[in-house]
Amino acid sequence: MTQIETQLLGTDGVSIAAAVKALALGKLVSFPTETVYGLGADATNGSAVAAIYQSKGRPSFNPLIIHLADASAVDQHCIMSDTAQRLADTFWPGALTLVLPLKSSANVSSLVTAGLKTVAVRVPDHPVANAILTAFGGPVAAPSANPSGRISPTTAQHVINGLDGRVDVVVDGGACAVGVESTIVDCSVDAPSLLRAGGIPAEAIETCLGFELAPAPMSNTPIAPGQLTSHYAPQGALRLNANQSEPHETTLGFGDVDAALNLSRAGDLTEAAANLFSMLHQLDAMGAKHIAVTTIPDHGLGKAINDRLRRAAAPRD
Ligand code: TXA
Ligand code: MG
């Protein structure tokens, strides 16, 4: 990807305002949280979220956590059960992420949720994260700010070492106190389960709930990015690298082609990534049974798009 000039900022008011402005412009801002440094983007802006994947060189689309300034904003985006509310009251702000049902009115890019009907949310416990989120006023999607496959950063220098030239702004708020990622609990199902061990011990969560967390559905299998079985796949059958479509097929295009839907007429992979999940949903809504997908270049974000399309095209039970 093209190199950008990475700006290293402090935590004074002017710096925070500059970081917030960058987020609003769709840029990537790395900021400290109590767990690890996040690579943040405006969660409502699909192109900005696509840039996260590009920056990390992530070969597939894994759903991302949205970060909010305070728990009262959660209602705008997701449905809180009594259990979720109890966990939020006890552990937020803090190193706990809750997976919750997405409200239909939620304004979150489908690239954040990887097309799922749930979204992962947390309210970080860090004065700098909190200042940025409060001033920004909307959800910020943020995975750990490291290149894909590398260890998570706990200082601004780690972020620079891994992502210099691939992130617009790094806000240096010192070392992260917790140093491991947040604990993730799935509260979108009747029996809440532990999806990832992290900064808050499972025992503390179980003590708060008064019952044990269910094991993760795939706890014996390492969940590599994008391997979640729950990833969204459309109803229709996909045929990839289909540069000529058959009469019975609906075309999902890329580039300057005739198509029912086009991921990016300009052939821009960032735009295509931002459109991917919403267009797969639209194909369902259109009742498309046979979908022909134009060849997508297999570099940069194209790799993640192709990975997702191959999964969606794979035979299903
Ligand atoms: O501490 C943290 O959680 C850090 C800081 C920056 O907040 N963030 C972080 O994000 O670790 P990330 O993207 O590296 O991890 C997000 C995890 C992934 O394993 C993903 O599969 C899971 O959250 N996840 C996100 N949305 C989900 C959903 N709707 N259902 C199930 N799992 C989800
Ligand atoms: Mg990570």
Side-chain angles (χ1 to χ4, degrees):
M1 77 180 270
T2 45
Q3 290 273 309
I4 46 184
E5 195 176 332
T6 298
Q7 207 187 351
L8 184 61
L9 296 177
T11 60
D12 56 285
V14 174
S15 296
I16 298 294
V20 169
K21 187 172 175 203
L23 281 173
L25 290 171
K27 297 190 172 184
L28 297 182
V29 175
S30 178
F31 60 94
T33 79
E34 78 279 38
T35 59
V36 300
Y37 272 72
L39 181 61
D42 177 356
T44 70
N45 178 339
S47 297
V49 177
I52 289 178
Y53 289 92
Q54 189 159 36
S55 169
K56 285 179 70 89
R58 239 189 206 182
S60 59
F61 295 124
N62 206 23
L64 302 173
I65 298 171
I66 60 169
H67 297 67
L68 297 171
D70 67 275
S72 64
V74 176
D75 272 355
Q76 287 169 30
H77 307 285
C78 11
I79 301 164
M80 291 286 264
S81 63
D82 290 347
T83 302
Q85 192 63 56
R86 191 168 341 139
L87 292 177
D89 290 346
T90 309
F91 296 106
W92 280 353
L96 176 67
T97 293
L98 299 176
V99 172
L100 300 168
L102 195 63
K103 276 191 177 163
S104 53
S105 57
N107 181 15
V108 174
S109 156
S110 59
L111 198 52
V112 168
T113 59
L116 298 173
K117 292 197 167 69
T118 54
V119 66
V121 194
R122 92 178 183 95
V123 177
D125 183 16
H126 192 287
V128 175
N130 192 267
I132 291 173
L133 292 167
T134 301
F136 182 64
V140 172
S144 49
N146 50 284
S148 181
R150 302 260 295 275
I151 53 170
S152 296
T154 54
T155 65
Q157 189 59 49
H158 294 161
V159 178
I160 298 283
N161 293 348
L163 295 179
D164 192 24
R166 289 154 71 176
V167 51
D168 297 282
V169 172
V170 178
V171 180
D172 185 353
C176 304
V178 176
V180 295
E181 286 92 343
S182 60
T183 303
I184 306 181
V185 174
D186 186 356
C187 285
S188 70
V189 286
D190 287 341
S193 62
L194 182 69
L195 296 184
R196 178 174 79 184
I200 292 187
E203 292 81 352
I205 293 166
E206 291 176 337
T207 302
C208 165
L209 291 176
F211 57 83
E212 284 187 15
L213 291 167
M218 294 178 53
S219 56
N220 294 326
T221 325
I223 300 185
Q227 278 183 346
L228 289 173
T229 47
S230 49
H231 265 200
Y232 182 76
Q235 302 294 315
L238 269 72
R239 189 165 69 84
L240 306 184
N241 295 312
N243 294 322
Q244 294 280 308
S245 63
E246 307 291 332
H248 67 285
E249 291 179 319
T250 307
T251 302
L252 178 62
F254 177 84
D256 188 14
V257 294
D258 259 349
L261 296 175
N262 200 318
L263 289 166
S264 171
R265 199 164 286 285
D268 173 5
L269 289 167
T270 305
E271 184 184 17
N275 283 331
L276 180 65
F277 290 103
S278 59
M279 288 193 173
L280 292 177
H281 277 287
Q282 280 178 56
L283 287 163
D284 268 354
M286 289 160 65
K289 296 276 178 294
H290 299 275
I291 302 157
V293 189
T294 310
T295 299
I296 316 261
D298 204 39
H299 58 78
L301 278 181
K303 277 200 193 309
I305 296 171
N306 283 323
D307 169 82
R308 186 66 203 92
L309 288 170
R310 273 194 298 275
R311 288 170 199 282
R316 298 165 215 157
D317 299 333

